[in-house]
Amino acid sequence: MLYTQATIITVNANRDIIQDGAILVQGSKIANIGKTEALLKLYPEEEVTALEGRIIIPGLVNAHMHTAQTLLRGTADDLELVSWLCERIWPLQGNFTPKDGYAAARLSIAEMLKSGTTCFLESMFADRYGFDGLCRAVEESGIRGCLGKIVMDVGTYASDPKWAMHPGLVENRETSLLGAVDMHKKWNGKADDRIRVWFGARTPGGVSEGLYKEMTSISREQNIPITMHCAEAPADRTFFESQGHTAMSYCDSVNLLGPQTVLVHMVHLDDSDIKTLAETGTHIVHCPSSNTKLASGICRVPDLLEAGVSVTLGTDGAPCNNTCDMLQEMRLAGILHKAARMDPTSVPAETVLETATINGAKALGLADSVGSIEKGKKADFVVLDMRAVHLQPWFNPVSAVVYSATGRDVEIVLVDGKEVAKSGKLTTMDEESIWKEAEWRSKEVVKRAGLTSAVGARWPVQ
């Protein structure tokens, strides 16, 4: 297929933007890229999709996602973190079945694909959700998934007994760590190498130091990357201080830091932590919607970027964001730090797009194949239809994407050279069956958890 007449934001090394550009896709890869006129002459026999008035961007990389939680969208709005976690989310997740986990994964993936995410990092998929079902959902949908299976052995948050996990979520070394190793053997590289299996470690305080060290040792021996929440809430800082550490000195003490580790949230950091992140090449994920909605604080993204830390972007889960739309996440990432710093030049649109594309690909170890639109890379890209009143006029295509567009403007999505969405509709999944099953399964989970009356409208319903 030859895609023509579009404005192409390549995010290549030179950050080229091609007007009236064209992309030739052959098999799973980009075979050529250039001006429309030149490629039409080179490939006169190719089938053409004309895309005048559209912008093409690399497929978005959602570097932090809880696929199970999309089934719980709207069940814990406007709560502070302890209540949100201990009274709602953990009890609900502790009542999941593997069929619920599969339905939730399908719902998450459908929403991500429709809104331009072609690759995601699942952070902590619990054993009770059915890891095989998550992998099947990735395989069937055509998306690219790095899938973190939970690693834990302590049933509290930050070692605080008042933050006790629901019993249905507590796992031991054998189920979590060794189970993740088993799933890596079974699924890593499957679905035409679209599936990668990771360790999804719980926050410090939810994992013993011995298990962390065992996990990091296996990670290096078997090349299994690690993702972990860290320094998200004030309680995390309290925990690190109780151990005689800062956030990063603690992580360093259990061998967590390095280019194969992706740390999430990273709100409560000292200057020394930022220096350590830069020196070790550890990646971090910024989740502005989650951090603002749960009032966790504001990640020091400008300071991290200035220090040379690799910063990526993630939506987090639907109960603390309410959407899996990375385009909306980009907009908030681009405006939040301007207000926090009283500096409108802070974190410009171009930097935001990098966090959601090439930086995400680097963090996931996939930058050789995805994250930018270049000859020889995988054909993972997104077509945005800019022919709409809410998108016109535009002058800088990057600004238009970051500040104006949302997932509803996505027209075509390619992963591995296949159109997984066309005309704004999925081609690999039955959307209606997905949302209908999610609708009734979510109610069943709420009922099992005994929270039916707690999650409804707060105003009187007639």
Side-chain angles (χ1 to χ4, degrees), residues 232-234 267-268 286-288 290-299 336:
E232 177 181 8
V267 174
H268 300 278
H286 181 34
C287 302
S290 172
N291 296 158
T292 52
K293 190 180 179 196
L294 290 173
S296 299
I298 299 175
C299 179
L336 176 65

Side-chain angles (χ1 to χ4, degrees), residues 242-319:
S242 74
Q243 306 299 305
H245 281 289
T246 68
M248 291 305 95
S249 69
Y250 179 88
C251 290
D252 190 38
S253 73
V254 292
N255 306 319
L256 273 165
L257 302 182
Q260 276 199 303
T261 295
V262 176
L263 300 179
V264 185
H265 296 300
M266 303 294 277
V267 174
H268 300 278
L269 300 177
D270 294 341
D271 290 345
S272 63
D273 293 326
I274 294 175
K275 185 173 183 288
T276 299
L277 286 166
E279 289 172 347
T280 58
T282 306
H283 305 272
I284 75 115
V285 188
H286 181 34
C287 302
S289 292
S290 172
N291 296 158
T292 52
K293 190 180 179 196
L294 290 173
S296 299
I298 299 175
C299 179
R300 295 171 58 185
V301 169
D303 294 333
L304 288 158
L305 292 169
E306 288 167 10
V309 177
S310 171
V311 178
T312 67
L313 195 66
T315 61
D316 208 344

Side-chain angles (χ1 to χ4, degrees), residues 1 11 20 27 46 51 65 93 124 199 211 219 230 243 323 376:
M1 181 71 75
V11 198
D20 191 17
E46 288 289 342
L51 296 174
M65 174 64 184
Q93 292 180 155
M124 287 193 308
F199 288 133
L211 194 63
S219 169
C230 189
Q243 306 299 305
T323 177

Side-chain angles (χ1 to χ4, degrees), residues 264-451:
V264 185
H265 296 300
M266 303 294 277
V267 174
H268 300 278
L269 300 177
D270 294 341
D271 290 345
S272 63
D273 293 326
I274 294 175
K275 185 173 183 288
T276 299
L277 286 166
E279 289 172 347
T280 58
T282 306
H283 305 272
I284 75 115
V285 188
H286 181 34
C287 302
S289 292
S290 172
N291 296 158
T292 52
K293 190 180 179 196
L294 290 173
S296 299
I298 299 175
C299 179
R300 295 171 58 185
V301 169
D303 294 333
L304 288 158
L305 292 169
E306 288 167 10
V309 177
S310 171
V311 178
T312 67
L313 195 66
T315 61
D316 208 344
C320 59
N321 185 324
N322 299 70
T323 177
C324 305
D325 183 348
M326 279 285 286
L327 283 154
Q328 292 191 52
E329 202 69 25
M330 281 198 288
R331 184 175 192 274
L332 182 56
I335 62 178
L336 176 65
H337 304 285
K338 301 180 192 317
R341 279 203 162 191
M342 297 294 288
D343 177 7
T345 68
S346 185
V347 193
E350 288 78 9
T351 298
V352 174
L353 186 59
E354 289 170 342
T355 68
T357 55
I358 191 64
N359 287 11
K362 289 175 181 175
L364 272 52
L366 300 173
D368 288 343
S369 55
V370 301
S372 60
I373 299 174
E374 301 182 66
K375 184 177 179 179
K377 280 197 169 186
K378 292 286 190 179
D380 288 20
F381 59 81
V382 176
V383 178
L384 297 166
D385 190 347
M386 307 300 287
R387 303 170 302 167
V389 293
H390 65 286
L391 297 173
Q392 290 292 336
W394 57 268
F395 299 92
N396 176 346
V398 179
S399 292
V401 169
V402 172
Y403 294 131
S404 300
T406 74
R408 291 179 177 86
D409 301 310
V410 170
E411 181 182 4
I412 301 171
V413 179
L414 276 81
V415 183
D416 243 18
K418 299 184 178 72
E419 289 185 349
V420 294
K422 189 172 185 178
S423 301
K425 301 292 184 183
L426 296 178
T427 63
T428 57
M429 307 175 82
D430 183 345
E431 294 180 42
E432 185 175 9
S433 69
I434 289 170
W435 73 255
K436 283 186 173 180
E437 182 177 8
E439 184 180 36
W440 70 261
R441 280 197 179 276
S442 64
K443 291 180 173 61
E444 288 297 311
V445 171
V446 169
K447 184 178 179 181
R448 265 181 249 135
L451 292 173

Side-chain angles (χ1 to χ4, degrees), residues 128-194:
R128 72 172 300 122
Y129 309 155
F131 196 82
D132 287 324
L134 171 62
C135 294
R136 287 202 318 274
V138 171
E139 187 172 39
E140 294 160 359
S141 68
I143 202 168
R144 198 177 301 282
C146 296
L147 311 178
K149 189 179 185 303
I150 196 166
V151 175
M152 66 164 294
D153 60 350
V154 179
T156 58
Y157 185 98
S159 296
D160 191 333
K162 74 179 180 183
W163 289 40
M165 291 189 80
H166 186 277
L169 288 176
V170 176
E171 298 183 29
N172 57 23
R173 169 184 175 271
E174 286 69 27
T175 303
S176 64
L177 177 65
L178 301 187
V181 173
D182 288 343
M183 289 298 103
H184 185 268
K185 292 175 182 175
K186 182 175 182 179
W187 284 104
N188 195 64
K190 295 296 177 65
D192 297 321
D193 202 31
R194 286 184 291 104

